[in-house]
Amino acid sequence: MNQLEEGIVIETNGNLAKVQASRHGDCKNCGACPGDQAMVVEVINDIGARKGQFVAFEVKEENLLKSSLVLFVLPLAAAAAGAALGNLLSAGLGLSGSIPAIIGGLLLFGLSLVYVRHYDRKANAKKDYPVIKKIII
């Protein structure tokens, strides 16, 4: 499913444009992006929109969901799994205390952050940009 967003073209460069888009309710609740009122999105400009025009662009919702899961859920799940694994290993090795659980949680959390960085680089290399669908004004 795709989602239509609106914004003003602030810069064009070939078939790409930078659009200043108003933040919708999902963005305001998330707060991951800097700025309270607007964000700048790089979009594909195949229809020839010019600077200052108000446009509607399509964002693939699956990309938003996948990115949210990788960015927020994966590190938390990895930390919990690492803590549980560290706790199980400490019991199996006859160790006591919560230090092995803490080490396991931090280790898997760190590995998940490495994956998040890899995912981000792969997503940027893929260049799966939103696409301008129509010029409104």
Side-chain angles (χ1 to χ4, degrees), residues 116-126:
V116 167
R117 185 170 182 168
H118 168 74
Y119 178 84
D120 182 51
R121 287 183 178 171
K122 189 172 90 172
N124 285 338
K126 188 177 176 185

Side-chain angles (χ1 to χ4, degrees), residues 27-38:
C27 287
K28 289 178 184 173
N29 291 336
C30 171
C33 300
D36 290 337
Q37 300 303 319

Side-chain angles (χ1 to χ4, degrees), residues 77-109:
L85 187 61
N87 197 25
L88 286 174
L89 287 175
S90 69
L93 296 173
L95 301 172
S96 63
S98 58
I99 299 297
I102 293 171
I103 292 171
L106 289 174
L107 182 65
L108 284 187
F109 180 76

